[in-house]
Amino acid sequence: MPESGQSSQSSQSSQSQRRPLISGNWKMHHNHFEAIQVVQKLSFRLRTEDYDDVDVSVHPPFTDIRSVQTVLESDRIPIALGAQNCHWEDKGAFTGEVSAPMLAKLNVTYVIVGHSERRELFGETDETVNKKLRAVLGAGMTPILCVGETLAEREAGETDAKVSGQVRAGLAGVKPEQVAAMVVAYEPIWAIGTGRNATAEDAQGTIRAIRDVVGDAAGADPAAAIRIQYGGSVKPTNIAELMAQPDIDGALVGGASLDPDDFARIVQYREHRD
């Protein structure tokens, strides 16, 4: 890894070239009627200038995606449509699953892969996450690769080892130019939905380490170009401090993205900086 001073300087010079991405992960919330209302309310609260320097995506449940797509496209709302998961095969006898090509046909742009809830609750491994990531790329969409450590791992000083291993496994077999265009989301598991969050400095330290790992795995240019989000109890009150860090390029927002007012304030974080 490069020395921390070199990494920080490179990150600061490159950050201005990386458009921030603020993503709302709705998880298993909002039926398709509620989803339509949330997207419409969010569009009313966001202004043209809010989209000038920030990309915004929403990731509704599968049953909402077609409805949200219709609203976004018919009203010409410049919010990207996202999904929360997919299967790694294009088709087959996989009852209850949804493939990446199916999502691409709905004009989905971003797909979350390897979220900690998928890993912890549904047994997804680094291998299956990598297969899903490559399926998303193969369908012409952008994966958001989630990585993060448990509280026990953090307290044992294993954060860097855990996260680095997840990043390397996730990027296995991925071309450098593909790495440069994708997104990584660092979400400390102990901070998701708990109201606790890493300090901005802690988040920056781990995300800088992630960027160094990307550089080692794919090269300096992809490491400088890849966007790395922070997730884990992101709120309107802490987003500006997080986004002030040189290596943090956005946020993967959970609970706060369910409320259009809160999510709009997060997107408008620049207004709340000191």
Side-chain angles (χ1 to χ4, degrees):
M1 289 186 183
E3 295 180 3
S4 59
Q6 294 174 331
S7 176
S8 178
Q9 183 177 7
S10 174
S11 299
Q12 290 174 331
S13 63
S14 300
Q15 188 184 38
S16 61
Q17 302 171 20
R18 299 189 299 265
R19 281 179 61 85
L21 172 63
I22 306 293
S23 303
N25 178 16
W26 293 359
K27 305 188 180 183
M28 198 171 72
H29 296 282
H30 295 326
N31 61 46
H32 74 285
F33 293 115
E34 295 166 334
I36 290 170
Q37 294 176 341
V38 168
V39 170
Q40 289 176 330
K41 289 177 181 177
L42 179 61
S43 71
F44 294 151
R45 286 155 178 73
L46 295 178
R47 304 152 303 193
T48 300
E49 55 266 30
D50 295 326
Y51 301 109
D52 287 344
D53 299 312
V54 179
D55 291 334
V56 182
S57 68
V58 292
H59 300 250
F62 286 136
T63 56
D64 301 355
I65 289 179
R66 175 58 174 162
S67 297
V68 173
Q69 177 204 11
T70 300
V71 173
L72 293 177
E73 293 180 358
S74 63
D75 293 350
R76 298 184 180 181
I77 300 171
I79 293 174
L81 181 58
Q84 301 175 22
N85 185 36
C86 71
H87 197 272
W88 58 84
E89 294 288 351
D90 288 353
K91 58 184 178 181
F94 303 103
T95 300
E97 293 292 334
V98 174
S99 73
M102 291 175 181
L103 297 174
K105 285 293 185 181
L106 293 171
N107 291 340
V108 166
T109 300
Y110 299 98
V111 182
I112 298 170
V113 293
H115 191 280
S116 64
E117 290 160 1
R118 299 296 313 175
R119 297 178 189 259
E120 298 291 312
L121 299 178
F122 301 102
E124 290 193 6
T125 64
D126 285 340
E127 180 183 4
T128 58
V129 170
N130 174 255
K131 290 164 70 174
K132 290 184 177 188
L133 185 148
R134 288 186 285 132
V136 171
L137 290 169
M141 299 176 293
T142 301
I144 299 178
L145 170 64
C146 293
V147 300
E149 82 282 12
T150 65
L151 181 59
E153 289 166 338
R154 181 179 182 83
E155 291 179 341
E158 298 172 355
T159 294
D160 285 355
K162 172 68 176 293
V163 172
S164 296
Q166 289 178 322
V167 172
R168 291 183 187 279
L171 299 183
V174 181
K175 297 177 181 178
E177 60 269 24
Q178 293 176 311
V179 173
M182 61 175 283
V183 181
V184 172
Y186 167 56
E187 292 196 306
I189 296 172
W190 49 271
I192 299 173
T194 64
R196 300 176 59 183
N197 60 284
T199 66
E201 291 75 18
D202 286 342
Q204 160 62 23
T206 301
I207 287 176
R208 185 177 66 194
I210 290 171
R211 199 174 300 281
D212 288 340
V213 172
V214 173
D216 186 55
D221 289 342
I226 193 171
R227 293 189 287 185
I228 307 179
Q229 299 174 314
Y230 173 77
S233 297
V234 175
K235 300 179 178 66
T237 53
N238 62 18
I239 182 64
E241 183 181 11
L242 289 164
M243 292 300 296
Q245 303 301 313
D247 283 286
I248 299 180
D249 306 315
L252 183 57
V253 186
S257 71
L258 300 175
D259 184 293
D261 291 321
D262 283 347
F263 193 50
R265 290 174 60 200
I266 290 172
V267 173
Q268 295 161 344
Y269 70 89
R270 294 176 187 272
E271 298 179 12
H272 308 296
R273 281 184 173 176
D274 293 334

